[in-house]
Amino acid sequence: MAIQRIVICGGGVMGRGIAQLIAATGTEVTLVDLTDEILKKSIELLSEEMDAEIEKWGLTLSEKKAILARIKGTTKLEEVCDVPIIIEAIPEEEERKKRLLKELGELCSPETIIVSNTSTLSITELASVTNRSDRVVGVHFLHPVTKIPLVEIIRGLRTSQRTYDLVKEFCEEQLNKTAVSVYEYPGYVTTRIIVPFMNEAMHVLMEGIATAEDIDTAMKLGYGFHMGPLALADVMGLDVVMKWMENLLEELSEHKYNPCPLLRKLVRAGHLGKKTKLGFFIYNEEGNKIGENPEIKLRGFIPPPEK
Ligand code: NAI
């Protein structure tokens, strides 16, 4: 049975993408965020993102209009909670997510399924603060949501089979995604594997072994990735990637998740990747990559003079 109405908490990079994906299937979407200003900005950004898709012939103007007409924004969670599925896509901070999930448990109807888009946190832990841990499940959409054909569906230890089946059907039948099933553990499959990969690329850059452009080219052409690890980190958001590393480090105590010092420096400087126009690369107003970050100087060897 098709879901007619859905609520998404958090209108950031992922919330916008999930809203677009779901609204494109004819479902009404309510986007909830903290302030009206954030919501306005979020809808503006979504509109610009769809304009970029129209330019590349990936979407038509009438599809864009229909999608936007189905997305409404609000700050009043308590007024919109009566839906079959509610998805949270707020920042990757455990305490913040727990506060929201607890509130959702209190506000939503008993039947509502709560979905978290967390990339690294334990679904069992998040579900433990709600009054319905059998109806809490992880659905890990990847960025860019409308383009990536995969979702990971993560069962917490208490997620019921019925909840899992309903959400899997929603993702596969309605959203047309391929779903892989993941058993409870932070990082799941995709984040757990991609994070050390990006971290290692940052170390290779920091050690002066190759330029950012050459590292990405090597991995794209050498191993068939469609995007290099440094550009990928920029697109995901360097603050978000660093938070994933910190969460995995805390949970798994493995040095490979310790954020590369270069990543820490960029995040502290507010260079968060594509969304701030500067990360490992520089981006223009349209979000296209136009060069390497000039502040990252390659510390390679100077070749000896010819004899
Ligand atoms: P973001 O920082 O771009 O957006 C988060 C949004 O949530 C902001 O608009 C913020 O104002 C809003 N927010 C904060 N607290 C809220 C609350 N209590 N109620 C409603 N809205 C609230 O974050 P992003 O990148 O969209 O990430 C969201 C989630 O998706 C995180 O759990 C992240 O790990 C996950 N994720 C991110 C991916 C990425 O590539 N950026 C990929 C896959 C998952």
Side-chain angles (χ1 to χ4, degrees):
M1 192 188 67
I3 306 282
Q4 309 289 342
R5 213 159 70 76
I6 225 157
V7 167
I8 301 170
C9 295
V13 174
M14 295 306 289
R16 289 198 302 274
I18 300 168
Q20 180 186 340
L21 172 76
I22 295 177
T25 69
T27 301
E28 299 295 321
V29 175
T30 309
L31 206 53
V32 181
D33 212 305
L34 298 174
T35 66
D36 289 327
E37 292 71 45
I38 299 178
L39 280 168
K40 189 165 170 276
K41 185 80 199 152
S42 174
I43 302 283
E44 274 169 21
L45 284 170
L46 178 57
S47 172
E48 285 168 24
E49 284 158 7
M50 285 195 277
D51 286 341
E53 283 185 52
I54 292 171
E55 264 178 40
K56 293 178 193 153
W57 304 94
L59 195 73
T60 65
L61 187 59
S62 58
E63 283 169 338
K64 174 189 161 180
K65 283 186 181 160
I67 290 169
L68 284 180
R70 288 192 204 105
I71 303 176
K72 305 272 175 303
T74 184
T75 55
K76 300 192 176 63
L77 185 57
E78 64 284 1
E79 290 178 8
V80 293
C81 275
D82 191 17
V83 283
I85 297 181
I86 187 155
I87 302 175
E88 77 74 19
I90 69 166
E92 190 75 343
E93 295 158 25
E94 187 168 316
E95 287 315 310
R96 195 197 282 248
K97 285 200 194 273
K98 278 185 171 172
R99 272 201 304 279
L100 176 65
L101 261 66
K102 185 166 185 298
E103 197 186 348
L104 289 176
E106 288 157 7
L107 292 172
C108 297
S109 86
E111 286 305 309
T112 300
I113 293 175
I114 302 175
V115 168
S116 173
N117 185 47
T118 173
S119 310
T120 54
L121 299 170
S122 157
I123 296 298
T124 307
E125 179 82 32
L126 294 178
S128 70
V129 299
T130 70
N131 52 6
R132 60 185 77 204
S133 42
D134 57 328
R135 263 169 258 127
V136 179
V137 63
V139 177
H140 186 222
F141 292 94
L142 281 80
H143 180 67
V145 180
T146 53
K147 301 277 177 329
I148 304 284
L150 175 84
V151 289
E152 290 175 283
I153 304 186
I154 304 109
R155 304 171 197 244
L157 287 184
R158 309 190 81 166
T159 306
S160 70
Q161 188 63 38
R162 184 168 176 273
T163 300
Y164 174 82
D165 290 342
L166 269 166
V167 167
K168 186 168 189 281
E169 185 187 324
F170 172 64
C171 292
E172 290 186 335
E173 307 296 324
Q174 199 167 333
L175 305 184
N176 205 19
K177 298 285 186 196
T178 298
V180 294
S181 177
V182 180
Y183 288 90
E184 165 68 27
Y185 213 76
Y188 328 126
V189 176
T190 53
T191 314
R192 178 130 175 214
I193 294 175
I194 204 71
V195 155
F197 173 55
M198 292 188 292
N199 211 20
E200 198 57 32
M202 294 169 198
H203 277 281
V204 170
L205 177 65
M206 190 179 71
E207 288 170 25
I209 294 168
T211 63
E213 198 65 66
D214 281 351
I215 293 167
D216 274 10
T217 301
M219 298 317 290
K220 279 192 297 185
L221 301 187
Y223 290 97
F225 291 101
H226 85 110
M227 199 185 263
L230 298 172
L232 185 63
D234 271 357
V235 167
M236 289 169 160
L238 299 188
D239 51 338
V240 176
V241 170
M242 190 164 108
K243 196 71 199 149
W244 294 342
M245 292 183 187
E246 287 172 345
N247 288 347
L248 287 170
L249 180 66
E250 189 180 326
E251 180 74 28
L252 303 165
S253 302
E254 290 263 20
H255 181 68
K256 63 188 171 196
Y257 299 114
N258 195 1
C260 173
L262 184 56
L263 175 66
R264 288 190 191 276
K265 277 190 204 174
L266 288 169
V267 172
R268 282 180 187 138
H271 301 326
L272 308 181
K274 196 170 168 181
K275 62 186 166 187
T276 60
K277 314 266 186 290
L278 191 60
F280 291 104
F281 298 96
I282 315 180
Y283 300 84
N284 64 15
E285 280 306 314
E286 287 74 48
N288 298 320
K289 198 172 87 179
I290 50 172
E292 299 190 10
N293 182 339
E295 290 170 16
I296 303 173
K297 288 267 178 293
L298 199 62
R299 203 162 38 84
F301 293 98
I302 301 162
E306 275 184 33
K307 292 207 174 113

